[in-house]
Amino acid sequence: MDKFKTVLNIANKQTNLSFGLVALLTAGGEHIFSSVVFKCPCNDLNFVYGMVFLLVPALALLLLGYILSKKTWKVMTGLCQRRANLCRRRRLTAALTAFFQISTTALVAPSSWIAVALLNGNYYECAMTGTNLSAYNKLLCRDKNSEVKCEEELHRFPCMKGSSELQAVREDVLLTLKAQSQIMGWLLIASVMLSNLLLTCVARCTSPISYLQLKFWKAYAQEESNLFDSYSTKHAKELAERNLKSFFNQTPPENIITPSNKAWEKISSLYKFSTKDHYYSTLHRYVEDCLETDDETLRMMRMASVKSSEPADDTPAVLDFVDDGRIAL
């Protein structure tokens, strides 16, 4: 188990390796579905059945990519209750930028599924032999012997059923469909790789920092995230032990300092690097700004504890799911 966690940590640190691992797992899952689960019905349901296996798993993987992205919940959590600190145009731009960044990562698995499925050709063959488009069916059976009979039994071709006299026609049609499917699969792979290259080039060309500083920024963000999880777990354990000890022993609680709701909100927002301040995260900016505040503000911050002076009915919406037993991603 420890070795598996180590592999996952390495994959998280290396973006390209992580994408490659996701694509590899998706390709393996598609192969299992294609060989074990998928069985073309060879009737009027061919088109619906083939398209469901081609597109619905890709949609499920896309939604899973959004669900597993921390940035998704960082944007969404408390969004409906958040006060407008920025103008509407800036907030909309920031939200669209975040959504685009999340989408580029979430699209890796579904595009891999569709590409591998098209290269395999089984789903496409089943779907396109069940179309109700007479023009397309005539195109498939064009210049074939018994053209009318070919169109009538087209939906039975993926199951190798039909008249024995159509055996050669069946093989030609299925080869044509598989060729079309593989062409679209390779075009999809090429377009995804080209889009990724262009987006990476644009992002690097417009980067306000150099390559080595960007590498340092990524390393800092990863270490901050790991340490934040560790510190949060430790602090939550101390607070829980303090409360339980005070409850069972019926003694006054010890003073444990915790950040206020406003402090949590400040470090939870998405951060855009600025060469003016040289901060590497919202937490970094928050800590540096606190050092420049006056003594009275610092004193008030140090006095902040679990016994918050903020009104009880102003609880952020993020706390609503804590007692439901659900895990925040």
Side-chain angles (χ1 to χ4, degrees):
M1 188 64 181
D2 293 337
K3 293 182 179 180
F4 181 69
K5 289 181 178 179
T6 303
V7 173
L8 289 181
N9 289 333
I10 295 175
N12 288 331
K13 292 180 180 179
Q14 302 293 333
T15 304
N16 293 333
L17 179 60
S18 179
F19 287 172
L21 182 62
V22 170
L24 183 62
L25 292 176
T26 304
E30 192 282 331
H31 179 72
I32 295 174
F33 265 74
S34 179
S35 58
V36 178
V37 180
F38 181 79
K39 301 294 181 184
C40 188
C42 295
N43 53 35
D44 294 338
L45 289 175
N46 277 18
F47 182 77
V48 176
Y49 189 79
M51 284 301 175
V52 164
F53 270 81
L54 180 64
L55 300 179
V56 173
L59 176 61
L61 290 171
L62 177 63
L63 297 178
L64 184 62
Y66 283 113
I67 292 173
L68 296 179
S69 175
K70 292 183 178 180
K71 187 174 289 187
T72 301
W73 306 117
K74 204 169 187 179
V75 174
M76 293 296 298
T77 302
L79 182 63
C80 297
Q81 301 293 333
R82 194 172 301 156
R83 297 172 183 176
N85 296 325
L86 298 175
C87 66
R88 181 174 300 180
R89 183 177 178 181
R90 289 182 61 187
R91 285 188 287 121
L92 180 60
T93 302
L96 291 177
T97 302
F99 178 77
F100 178 77
Q101 292 175 347
I102 297 169
S103 299
T104 54
T105 304
L107 283 171
V108 173
S111 60
S112 300
W113 175 278
I114 295 177
V116 174
L118 289 174
L119 290 177
N120 190 9
N122 291 342
Y123 305 152
Y124 184 82
E125 287 178 3
C126 181
M128 300 314 292
T129 53
T131 59
N132 293 325
L133 299 176
S134 58
Y136 182 78
N137 295 340
K138 289 181 179 180
L139 181 64
L140 288 177
C141 296
R142 185 181 58 183
D143 300 330
K144 303 287 193 304
N145 296 328
S146 304
E147 181 176 335
V148 176
K149 199 168 185 180
C150 169
E151 295 179 26
E152 293 176 353
E153 299 189 8
L154 188 62
H155 61 275
R156 307 181 67 183
F157 284 1
C159 299
M160 298 300 175
K161 296 179 181 179
S163 305
S164 57
E165 60 187 83
L166 294 178
Q167 181 66 29
V169 175
R170 181 189 308 114
E171 293 179 357
D172 289 342
V173 170
L174 292 180
L175 284 175
T176 300
L177 291 175
K178 178 162 286 189
Q180 293 176 359
S181 179
Q182 291 177 343
I183 289 173
M184 288 189 293
W186 283 116
L187 288 177
L188 177 61
I189 293 174
S191 61
V192 169
M193 295 182 67
L194 180 60
S195 300
N196 183 44
L197 176 62
L198 292 177
L199 289 174
T200 302
C201 290
V202 172
R204 292 301 177 93
C205 289
T206 58
S207 175
I209 57 178
S210 63
Y211 172 79
L212 292 179
Q213 190 176 7
L214 180 61
K215 188 175 181 180
F216 171 80
W217 184 10
K218 291 181 178 179
Y220 169 83
Q222 183 65 39
E223 291 298 328
E224 183 189 89
S225 178
N226 294 337
L227 291 175
F228 186 86
D229 293 340
S230 176
Y231 270 75
S232 297
T233 302
K234 180 181 177 181
H235 195 78
K237 182 178 179 180
E238 292 177 355
L239 181 59
E241 289 179 347
R242 191 283 304 263
N243 293 337
L244 290 172
K245 181 179 178 181
S246 176
F247 174 76
F248 284 103
N249 296 335
Q250 293 296 299
T251 57
E254 300 175 1
N255 184 31
I256 295 182
I257 300 176
T258 59
S260 63
N261 291 341
K262 291 182 179 180
W264 283 109
E265 184 177 352
K266 286 182 179 180
I267 69 168
S268 297
S269 60
L270 294 177
Y271 180 69
K272 182 179 180 181
F273 184 84
S274 173
T275 55
K276 179 181 178 181
D277 300 323
H278 297 289
Y279 300 148
Y280 292 99
S281 67
T282 52
L283 178 62
H284 186 193
R285 180 174 58 189
Y286 178 80
V287 172
E288 293 289 349
D289 288 346
C290 287
L291 296 178
E292 297 177 1
T293 56
D294 55 21
D295 295 338
E296 180 64 21
T297 305
L298 289 173
R299 188 183 68 82
M300 295 299 295
M301 289 178 55
R302 294 191 182 100
M303 291 297 293
S305 64
V306 178
K307 300 176 181 179
S308 177
S309 59
E310 297 178 9
D313 59 348
D314 195 25
T315 304
V318 66
L319 300 181
D320 291 345
F321 61 80
V322 173
D323 293 331
D324 294 341
R326 285 177 266 173
I327 299 176
L329 299 173

